[in-house]
Amino acid sequence: MICRTIPEKQGALVAGGNAIRGSRVGAGPMGEAERGEAAPRNRIPFWCANRHETRVAFASDADVPELWDCPRCGLPAGQDQQNPPPAPRTEPYKTHLAYVRERRSDADGDALLEEALTRLHRRRGA
Ligand SMILES: [Zn+2]
């Protein structure tokens, strides 16, 4: 018995709250939000480099970010479907010197190989 009276009281409180809120909203020029079904929202689509579409609902007065992390693959997603933001490089960061060293060692390696092959050919040719 007690259990039943409590929800009734709560319901009455909620109804009263709606009535108050409704009168406030009704004062606005549109009067459409009277039902209290959420403030106006914009659903902004974002696309990532993998062409996943993500629609994010923002309040109409909220600042929409330029990028949104794709919830499916984690890549940054932008609002331009044709030009989604490029995927960030997954390679570990290398310094410029590291790149130079890499290139040089490759070149050195090629030169050494060439030299070795030349020697080998000379030996065989002789
Ligand atoms: Zn994605």
Side-chain angles (χ1 to χ4, degrees), residues 48 50 52 70 72-75:
C48 75
N50 289 329
H52 297 142
C70 174
R72 286 200 237 175
C73 64
L75 292 181

Side-chain angles (χ1 to χ4, degrees), residues 96-110:
H96 182 68
L97 182 62
Y99 277 110
V100 171
R101 275 188 186 149
E102 197 174 68
R103 245 180 283 144
R104 180 165 298 170
S105 67
D106 273 349
D108 288 350
D110 283 348

Side-chain angles (χ1 to χ4, degrees), residues 4-20:
R4 284 200 174 180
T5 57
I6 289 171
E8 275 171 25
K9 276 185 186 173
Q10 282 179 341
L13 282 175
V14 170
N18 275 347
I20 292 168

Side-chain angles (χ1 to χ4, degrees), residues 51-100:
R51 304 202 173 276
H52 297 142
E53 184 180 330
T54 308
R55 285 180 181 273
V56 188
F58 293 96
S60 58
D61 60 346
D63 286 335
V64 178
E66 229 172 277
L67 295 178
W68 193 264
D69 284 344
C70 174
R72 286 200 237 175
C73 64
L75 292 181
Q79 294 174 49
D80 188 348
Q81 186 176 14
Q82 304 306 317
N83 294 298
R89 299 192 175 178
T90 50
E91 312 165 24
Y93 177 76
K94 283 184 194 171
T95 62
H96 182 68
L97 182 62
Y99 277 110
V100 171

